[in-house]
Amino acid sequence: MNPSLLQTPIDYLKGVGPNRADLLRKELGIHTYQDLINLFPNRYIDKTRYYKINELQRNNAEVQIIGKITHIKTVEQQKGKRLVATFMDETGQMELVWFRGHKWIRESLKINQPYVIFGKTNWYNGFSMPHPEMELLADHEKSLRTAMQPVYPSTEKLTNKGITNRVVNKLMQQLFVETNGKFYETLSAELLEEQKLISKSKALFNIHFPQSQELLSKAQYRLKFEELFYIQLQLISKNLSRKSKIKGFNFDQVGTLFNTFYAEHLPFELTNAQKRVIKEIRNDLGSNAQMNRLLQGDVGSGKTIVGLMTMLLAIDNGFQACLVAPTEILAQQHYNGIEALVKELGVNIKLLTGSSKASERKEIHDQLENGELHILIGTHAVLEDKVQFKNLGLAIIDEQHRFGVAQRAKLWHKNAIPPHVLVMTATPIPRTLAMSLYGDLDISVIDELPPGRKSIKTVHRYDSNRLKVFRFIKDEIKKGRQIYIVYPLIQESEKLDYKDLMDGYASIEREFPKPEYQISIVHGQMKSSDKDYEMERFVKGETQIMVATTVIEVGVNVPNASVMIIESAERFGLSQLHQLRGRVGRGAEQSYCILMTGHKLSSDSKTRLETMVGTNDGFQIAEVDLKLRGPGDLMGTQQSGVLNLKIADIVKDNDILKTARYYAVKTLKEDQNLMLEKNKILRYTYQQLAKHKNIWNYIS
Ligand code: ADP
Ligand code: MG
């Protein structure tokens, strides 16, 4: 079939007039034949089997049962009446219920005649089925049915305007008539063969008109594979072409600074994971291509030192480096830590933030431009256009999720040749998902914590147990430890949150009076100089308690702090809870995380709390998070486009994703530009994807 036929406007399909076409466009985004064919059913109703009443499960599946009505009654209720029929088979009985249309239903129902009923069941002291579809068994046996009925995505408006599921089904049939059900193949013979996939035409037919459960599964697999395969093909191919097109600085020097630091100044033995990652980075830096690497590592896994050593490599090769952090506190902390480590190496390092004084700025700008400054650490201020480097060779971005792709791009424009970019993130994303989201980045993972860390003990306590928690805090303070108490800060209710924080602060002040106890407070509405002052008192150990909103979420490092108390923990997302917990457990002492909540908890909140109590593993937590929220809410996924998947589900179909990625890599390795004869179909489809965005609107 001619592929362009699929680009025919939907108005031309028999049965679709201007009104319907309009509705289909507005409600479902269906503009063309292609769009309609890609309207995949959400689910299928299996009318291939009959259930017995004693087999019914307490789920909301739709089932088909054969039995007889033995009794009908009308039940008065507060608002109107309902009609209730007792329905029996040889295994038990249930109720059929109608809230509307009593009169004619009552008249049409036949007592003691075998019926086939179909619908959703409810359970309340027994099973019932509201408004069942009913057919006398005798008629049922005569009628012709397809094995499984597809249920298409719909909207209220569509249903109200008469475009019911049945109508969509009819239109789909019409489409298959007009196209002869023959669709051009979009995967190569080789892939079909190796993966034992069914043809495109067969898959499309069976996704809409399944001939059997087995063929439906095959159809779904084939279409999911195809969808994920082309996403991967596109991502990987972009990455490859970036590497071949964009020249990068070649850091070919062995590196005196790097080696001296490694031999004489390293404060600890690197973990194997850190060593492996440094090797991966060195490979990139010497490859003549621009590095664009994402470094994932759980909180506390030691990403900073990896970043620092990468910066030393840059300086060794005569380049400047910068490190950008999302908050002033973090930038300051990086500056302090890194400056202390490289002080004796003669590295010139400076800090630039929104609150840097004009005179400091002037000096920084001058030294950046004449090349005297080796390392610049700072906040977004570093990205401003007026900050110009003599030769920026490496940019490191800490805690990726606060930065958008656009900001990363800004760094590129600081030079004719883009600097190498290393993005460090503690938001653990399952690897395959990360590969899909950040397909333009290569990925390194630090999957090992430095030795000797005691794992953090996490507990969940109800607000009613607060006094016990306070006693525990006092004991820990007596031992010389420091405590974080964190309150939620959610934009929509900022005022309320602020009030909660202040109320909390007041009660903590009462419970922990001066001068015995000193308390710091940090929140978003403070001036940044005040924040820094308060933070610093805590870092220096002058205060024992830090009351804060989530501003401390990212990166702050106070090894003596051993208790993290999270107030209204049910209001935080899992990854945020995990980030917060990562603020403790940085010293040699046993650390604790206490999740405080009220008694009323949603089931998702319970799952989040249980997950936190159950594991310290960020990747495991990320998996749960992903399942709870779906990928849509994950940071940075909105722009990435991989979420408007037509049929695959990036979480549930992870195995297919892995396979698809494997084949995409294999294909491009062998034939980067898809020029081989056997890949002709792939090349053609790939080009179509770029041309007709609506074919697969998940391609960004
Ligand atoms: P993150 O990955 O969260 O940014 P950091 O780089 O801040 O972690 O490191 C957390 C703490 O662990 C720091 O105090 C750091 O000095 C320490 N650290 C890092 N690597 C090691 C190591 N290999 N052995 C011992 N301590 C380490
Ligand atoms: Mg960090």
Side-chain angles (χ1 to χ4, degrees):
M1 190 207 55
N2 175 4
S4 65
L5 178 56
L6 286 179
Q7 296 309 315
T8 311
I10 196 67
D11 312 59
Y12 291 85
L13 189 70
K14 203 176 149 210
V16 181
N19 288 341
R20 280 187 172 176
D22 230 38
L23 276 168
L24 288 172
R25 273 191 292 265
K26 284 204 185 107
E27 296 295 303
L28 295 174
I30 294 176
H31 297 261
T32 62
Y33 282 26
Q34 176 84 56
D35 293 335
L36 183 61
I37 203 99
N38 285 338
L39 179 73
F40 298 130
N42 286 332
R43 62 197 169 89
Y44 299 82
I45 295 167
D46 187 354
K47 288 195 173 177
T48 57
R49 69 163 289 199
Y50 302 93
Y51 286 79
K52 299 288 180 208
I53 291 175
N54 72 354
E55 289 175 325
L56 295 178
Q57 303 288 326
R58 288 194 214 177
N59 59 23
N60 60 356
E62 293 172 46
V63 291
Q64 186 169 241
I65 311 167
I66 300 174
K68 290 174 185 173
I69 291 175
T70 56
H71 184 74
I72 306 176
K73 64 182 176 197
T74 306
V75 179
E76 298 283 343
Q77 53 188 39
Q78 273 181 347
K79 282 184 201 157
K81 298 176 216 172
R82 73 195 141 103
L83 183 67
V84 178
T86 307
F87 185 79
M88 295 181 73
D89 69 3
E90 66 277 16
T91 69
Q93 72 172 51
M94 63 188 288
E95 290 185 338
L96 311 182
V97 186
W98 291 267
F99 301 95
R100 296 182 301 275
H102 299 167
K103 195 156 174 294
W104 68 268
I105 289 170
R106 185 159 200 161
E107 281 163 11
S108 65
L109 289 178
K110 298 196 167 49
I111 303 280
N112 283 326
Q113 295 241 12
Y115 269 105
V116 178
I117 63 162
F118 175 80
K120 259 187 203 166
T121 57
N122 290 328
W123 196 90
Y124 181 76
N125 287 336
F127 282 101
S128 65
M129 188 183 285
H131 290 258
E133 277 177 31
M134 307 196 54
E135 195 173 21
L136 285 168
L137 182 59
D139 297 338
H140 181 79
E141 279 166 346
K142 274 182 259 162
S143 65
L144 191 73
R145 291 168 312 277
T146 50
M148 266 170 289
Q149 291 183 359
V151 180
Y152 288 96
S154 185
T155 65
E156 213 176 310
K157 202 156 178 194
L158 280 178
T159 323
N160 286 342
K161 300 256 163 149
I163 306 191
T164 58
N165 198 54
R166 215 191 193 110
V167 169
V168 175
N169 206 292
K170 279 251 170 66
L171 295 179
M172 206 62 86
Q173 286 183 31
Q174 180 59 29
L175 184 77
F176 273 77
V177 170
E178 290 189 22
T179 56
N180 277 327
K182 289 207 168 59
F183 300 97
Y184 63 103
E185 184 51 63
T186 43
L187 290 174
S188 63
E190 189 181 47
L191 276 173
L192 294 178
E193 169 70 19
E194 281 188 29
Q195 277 281 295
K196 307 253 171 301
L197 302 173
I198 60 175
S199 72
K200 179 83 169 212
S201 295
K202 196 168 179 182
L204 286 176
F205 183 78
N206 276 284
I207 207 82
H208 294 296
F209 311 102
Q211 292 170 297
S212 69
Q213 290 270 11
E214 199 197 343
L215 274 168
L216 174 60
S217 305
K218 284 192 172 157
Q220 285 179 332
Y221 188 91
R222 137 99 217 201
L223 294 171
K224 286 175 178 183
F225 177 85
E226 171 175 353
E227 183 171 47
L228 295 168
F229 175 78
Y230 277 106
I231 292 176
Q232 293 301 320
L233 201 67
Q234 203 186 38
L235 289 172
I236 297 163
S237 154
K238 270 189 187 159
N239 191 344
L240 288 175
S241 77
R242 176 175 56 76
K243 280 184 190 154
S244 57
K245 275 195 210 118
I246 303 178
K247 250 187 76 64
F249 297 118
N250 203 6
F251 292 181
D252 50 10
Q253 296 295 313
V254 188
T256 322
L257 260 180
F258 182 92
N259 286 335
T260 313
F261 180 78
Y262 190 84
E264 292 163 28
H265 297 273
L266 204 57
F268 37 66
E269 172 92 10
L270 293 178
T271 63
N272 286 329
Q274 286 170 322
K275 285 184 196 160
R276 171 171 39 79
V277 167
I278 290 174
K279 214 178 262 168
E280 286 165 357
I281 292 172
R282 287 189 76 158
N283 265 343
D284 284 0
L285 299 179
S287 73
N288 270 319
Q290 184 219 8
M291 173 172 80
N292 221 357
R293 190 168 276 280
L294 178 70
L295 172 55
Q296 275 197 305
D298 211 342
V299 275
S301 61
K303 295 183 290 292
T304 316
I305 198 89
V306 172
L308 168 59
M309 291 177 72
T310 311
M311 292 198 280
L312 295 181
L313 278 173
I315 305 169
D316 272 336
N317 284 273
F319 290 95
Q320 295 168 302
C322 70
L323 168 61
V324 188
T327 64
E328 284 207 37
I329 294 176
L330 248 183
Q332 179 75 49
Q333 195 155 17
H334 273 316
Y335 175 78
N336 296 344
I338 292 175
E339 205 251 355
L341 282 173
V342 298
K343 217 170 5 197
E344 291 157 39
L345 294 171
V347 173
N348 183 7
I349 169 172
K350 289 215 151 55
L351 176 70
L352 178 69
T353 70
S355 48
S356 301
K357 290 194 199 76
S359 57
E360 292 172 76
R361 270 170 202 269
K362 172 92 179 49
E363 193 187 0
I364 289 172
H365 287 181
D366 290 349
Q367 290 196 357
L368 276 179
E369 281 169 44
N370 67 25
E372 267 173 56
L373 191 58
H374 299 120
I375 296 179
L376 180 64
I377 293 183
T379 56
H380 287 77
V382 174
L383 302 177
E384 284 166 20
D385 287 336
K386 52 181 190 265
V387 180
Q388 291 296 329
F389 292 78
K390 181 172 181 225
N391 55 357
L392 181 63
L394 167 74
I396 299 182
I397 299 174
D398 194 16
E399 311 295 353
Q400 141 96 2
H401 62 260
R402 300 284 173 102
F403 286 93
V405 175
Q407 278 157 324
R408 251 199 283 144
K410 271 195 173 180
L411 287 165
W412 286 41
H413 303 305
K414 295 213 175 274
N415 279 333
I417 296 183
H420 296 296
V421 176
L422 181 67
V423 176
M424 307 199 292
T425 176
T427 309
I429 299 171
R431 193 177 171 89
T432 38
L433 179 60
M435 285 171 177
S436 310
L437 297 180
Y438 306 109
D440 59 328
L441 302 175
D442 293 309
I443 296 174
S444 290
V445 182
I446 304 185
D447 50 6
E448 180 186 359
L449 290 181
R453 293 271 168 85
K454 287 209 175 81
S455 92
I456 303 163
K457 287 196 177 130
T458 303
V459 294
H460 170 207
R461 293 286 178 262
Y462 291 106
D463 291 339
S464 46
N465 273 327
R466 188 169 296 279
L467 287 181
K468 265 195 186 153
V469 173
F470 282 156
R471 274 206 296 281
F472 176 74
I473 297 179
K474 284 180 182 160
D475 287 347
E476 285 294 301
I477 291 177
K478 243 184 227 136
K479 290 189 214 155
R481 304 289 109 73
Q482 287 167 286
I483 320 288
Y484 291 106
I485 304 180
V486 176
Y487 287 81
L489 187 98
I490 296 163
Q491 295 302 328
E492 300 95 73
S493 58
E494 214 169 311
K495 273 206 183 110
L496 252 179
D497 285 330
Y498 183 68
K499 184 174 177 302
D500 284 354
L501 173 76
M502 284 310 168
D503 290 351
Y505 180 64
S507 79
I508 289 158
E509 266 192 320
R510 277 196 301 278
E511 191 67 31
F512 299 89
K514 284 178 194 156
E516 189 182 355
Y517 299 100
Q518 297 291 331
I519 307 174
S520 287
I521 179 162
V522 172
H523 59 79
Q525 304 193 354
M526 286 163 72
K527 274 202 300 215
S528 73
S529 54
D530 293 343
K531 268 191 237 173
D532 288 351
Y533 173 77
E534 290 284 309
M535 195 68 218
E536 208 155 308
R537 293 206 304 148
F538 188 67
V539 173
K540 285 188 189 144
E542 293 169 10
T543 59
Q544 301 101 334
I545 301 177
M546 161 65 74
V547 177
T549 53
T550 44
V551 287
I552 61 148
E553 177 189 338
V554 201
V556 174
N557 193 19
V558 182
N560 190 47
S562 66
V563 182
M564 166 62 65
I565 296 180
I566 304 177
E567 295 285 346
S568 304
E570 74 275 15
R571 289 176 55 192
F572 291 84
L574 256 181
S575 75
Q576 222 180 0
L577 289 172
H578 181 62
Q579 288 282 322
L580 285 169
R581 176 168 63 184
R583 299 306 112 216
V584 297
R586 300 185 153 238
E589 307 305 328
Q590 176 61 54
S591 290
Y592 304 88
C593 174
I594 304 178
L595 307 168
M596 304 294 301
T597 75
H599 277 279
K600 260 199 193 153
L601 294 171
S602 70
S603 87
D604 275 11
S605 302
K606 275 185 201 146
T607 309
R608 288 198 295 268
L609 296 166
E610 280 161 16
T611 306
M612 285 296 292
V613 171
T615 180
N616 276 305
D617 178 342
F619 284 89
Q620 215 171 315
I621 288 170
E623 301 271 357
V624 177
D625 201 23
L626 202 55
K627 283 190 182 125
L628 284 181
R629 299 193 302 166
D633 280 339
L634 277 185
M635 321 264 189
T637 56
Q638 278 81 359
Q639 333 93 296
S640 68
V642 296
L643 295 159
N644 303 323
L645 295 176
K646 283 252 158 258
I647 186 162
D649 178 319
I650 221 148
V651 181
K652 292 189 196 128
D653 299 320
N654 206 261
D655 286 345
I656 309 180
L657 175 60
K658 281 183 199 161
T659 313
R661 184 173 173 89
Y662 168 82
Y663 280 104
V665 170
K666 186 166 169 248
T667 305
L668 290 170
K669 233 184 207 160
E670 191 184 44
D671 182 16
Q672 189 181 333
N673 297 313
L674 303 175
M675 295 313 278
L676 293 179
E677 183 57 28
K678 65 174 186 176
N679 291 332
K680 205 168 148 191
I681 286 182
L682 300 183
R683 181 171 76 245
Y684 179 74
T685 309
Y686 190 93
Q687 286 164 349
Q688 292 290 310
L689 292 178
K691 204 158 89 193
H692 300 292
K693 289 244 156 79
N694 65 335
I695 294 191
W696 304 95
N697 45 17
Y698 53 77
I699 297 283
S700 50

